[in-house]
Each structure stands twice: as structure tokens, then as C-alpha cells.
Amino acid sequence: MTMLPSVAPPLQTANKWARPLTMADPFDWLAQGWSDFRTQMPMSLAYGLLILAISLGLVSGLIALKRDYILFPVFAGFMVIGPILAVGLYEKSRRIEQGLPVSWRNLFFVRPRSGGQILFTGVLLCLLMIVWIRAAVLIYALFFGMVAFPGLDRIAPMLFTTVTGWAMLIVGTLVGGLFAAFSFAISAFSIPMLLDQRTDALTAMGSSMALVWNNLRVLMVWAAIVLGLFLASLATGMIGLIVTYPLLGHATWHAYRAVQPDTE
């Protein structure tokens, strides 16, 4: 009678995406970002001023075109496309790290090692933002019907003093959370990776998602810091973006460096 050999359990293999990160690391990234921010500070401040000008111009344009009903999803969508706009800040931090000179040309005319792949990633993130805006408009229509947006001065009572408003807030928060989690996962490390390495956009986004998933607890702390600073900037009428945006941009570079294999 033929005897079948016993089935051996699979050999344990190391998780190539897991990193020895601690809960304190996100605060270290922020401190390193602050150090880069203070190095040739006028450059980082100018970058923040440019982002502020773009943001104010977009908000003013939406209000002038009577499209203020999409302001809230646009603010949320800023978290989606924010990483691609910070590529100049990543380059500044990269050059500081490598002891290379930093100039205005380096800041605003970046030449990523991946070439046009970084633009392709930017297009994908913009499409994701557009889908989120459309989803937000559909959610509003599902709960309130084809009712015109009441205006920014009357939207708060409409949302917080009615059952329908609370239901829409709950559903919108859940759906928006899914969009936010997905966009954070694919963009947390992909843009710095495309700047620093010769790789394609899909590989970079997939690697970013794998790194986030396998280091989830620490990256959730980092995501909370990013969200908190962004909300604080909104609370100042977006003036805070002058400092918080470049600070987070520099810190994101150090977050990327912390998850690279050569830093283990």
C-alpha cells in the first residue's frame, strides 16, 4: 500500500513590508520635517504661500461660479491630491539629507527619477478626487432630493438640526472615510518613491498600500497627525497652510525614508 508523506507546515517567511516602527516615530518624522522647514525657511514659506494662493483662488472661484455646494468635498479632496503638490518639498528634504545644495530651481522644477510616472500618479489622484466629489453630490441628492444647496450660512442648521441631516452626515462620513483611507494608502509613500526611485506608478502605489497595511497602527497615528494639522489650517481660514503644508511635506519625506529597506 502506498503511504503518503505527512504534510509539513509551510516555512515561516519574513514579512518584507513590515518595519520596526514605533508609535513615537510619526512625531520624530514631524520633528525632522520641522528641521528641514527651518533650513532655508524662506523657500518652504514661499511654497506654503503658493499653496495658500491656489487654495484661496479655488475657493473664490467656486463661490463666484455658485458652486459652493461642493466646497466641503473639495476640502476633503485636498487630502487626496495634497501629496502630489508637495513634490518640491520632498526634493528639498532629499537634497538636505544628501548634503546637496538647495535652490529655488530645485524646489519648483523637480526632475523625478521615475520621469513621467509621477504625472500619471497625479492624474489618478485627481480622478479619485473627482469621483469623491461626485459621490458627495449624489449622497446629498439621495437624502435631500433635488433641492438647491441652501448656502454656507444655512447648511449647518440643515445638517445638525434635522434627522435627515444627521443621517447624511453619518453616511457621508463613512463613504468619505473609505475614500480617505484608500487615497492615504496609495499616496502616503508613492510620490516620494517615484521621486527617489526608477519605478512605475502602479508599483509605487501598490508598495505604498502594502507598507501602510503592514504598519497600520503607526501609520494611523501619522494619518491622524496629518488630518489634525489640516483641520487646524482650515480653522485659521487656510492661513495655517503657509506653515503646516511645507511642514507635512518635509515630514512625509522622512516617513518615506523610515520605511525603506536600507533603514531597517
Side-chain angles (χ1 to χ4, degrees):
M1 183 175 65
T2 303
M3 300 294 293
L4 296 176
S6 58
V7 178
L11 297 175
Q12 294 291 328
T13 57
N15 184 349
K16 70 174 184 176
W17 301 109
R19 300 290 184 264
L21 302 176
T22 68
M23 302 299 281
D25 284 339
F27 300 96
D28 291 336
W29 304 336
L30 204 62
Q32 292 172 314
W34 179 248
S35 177
D36 289 352
F37 177 85
R38 294 179 61 190
T39 302
Q40 300 194 39
M41 187 184 294
M43 291 185 177
S44 295
L45 287 175
Y47 211 100
L49 281 168
L50 178 61
I51 294 298
L52 173 64
I54 293 172
S55 302
L56 291 176
L58 178 61
V59 170
S60 300
L62 289 175
I63 294 175
L65 294 172
K66 301 187 184 301
R67 296 291 188 272
D68 51 350
Y69 59 88
I70 63 171
L71 273 179
F72 293 111
V74 165
F75 284 141
F78 184 82
M79 300 289 291
V80 177
I81 64 170
I84 193 68
L85 299 177
V87 64
L89 299 168
Y90 307 150
E91 175 66 9
K92 180 187 173 186
S93 289
R94 185 187 73 83
R95 298 182 75 86
I96 291 173
E97 180 184 275
Q98 297 182 2
L100 299 173
V102 180
S103 67
W104 292 98
R105 180 182 178 86
N106 302 140
L107 195 67
F108 292 107
F109 299 95
V110 182
R111 305 180 74 175
R113 293 193 64 190
S114 63
Q117 290 296 312
I118 202 166
L119 295 178
F120 179 63
T121 306
V123 171
L124 292 178
L125 292 176
C126 288
L127 290 175
L128 181 61
M129 177 180 173
I130 292 171
V131 171
W132 160 232
I133 292 173
R134 294 304 303 168
V137 173
L138 286 174
I139 290 171
Y140 175 86
L142 285 172
F143 282 93
F144 290 105
M146 302 304 291
V147 177
F149 185 70
L152 295 176
D153 57 335
R154 287 182 287 176
I155 187 63
M158 184 176 176
L159 293 177
F160 295 107
T161 61
T162 65
V163 175
T164 303
W166 277 105
M168 195 200 81
L169 283 173
I170 293 171
V171 173
T173 299
L174 292 175
V175 174
L178 291 175
F179 274 96
F182 179 72
S183 63
F184 176 77
I186 65 174
S187 63
F189 304 115
S190 59
I191 309 301
M193 187 180 295
L194 290 167
L195 170 68
D196 188 49
Q197 303 177 27
R198 286 186 60 82
T199 186
D200 62 275
L202 296 181
T203 297
M205 289 188 288
S207 299
S208 178
M209 181 173 288
L211 286 165
V212 170
W213 178 254
N214 287 278
N215 303 277
L216 190 58
R217 291 180 60 194
V218 176
L219 268 299
M220 285 180 67
V221 174
W222 176 235
I225 291 173
V226 173
L227 178 61
L229 289 176
F230 177 67
L231 292 177
S233 298
L234 291 183
T236 64
M238 295 189 293
I239 300 298
L241 286 174
I242 299 173
V243 173
T244 59
Y245 188 85
L247 172 61
L248 288 173
H250 293 311
T252 298
W253 172 260
H254 292 285
Y256 158 74
R257 293 296 298 141
V259 300
Q260 291 309 291
D262 59 352
T263 62
E264 290 185 301

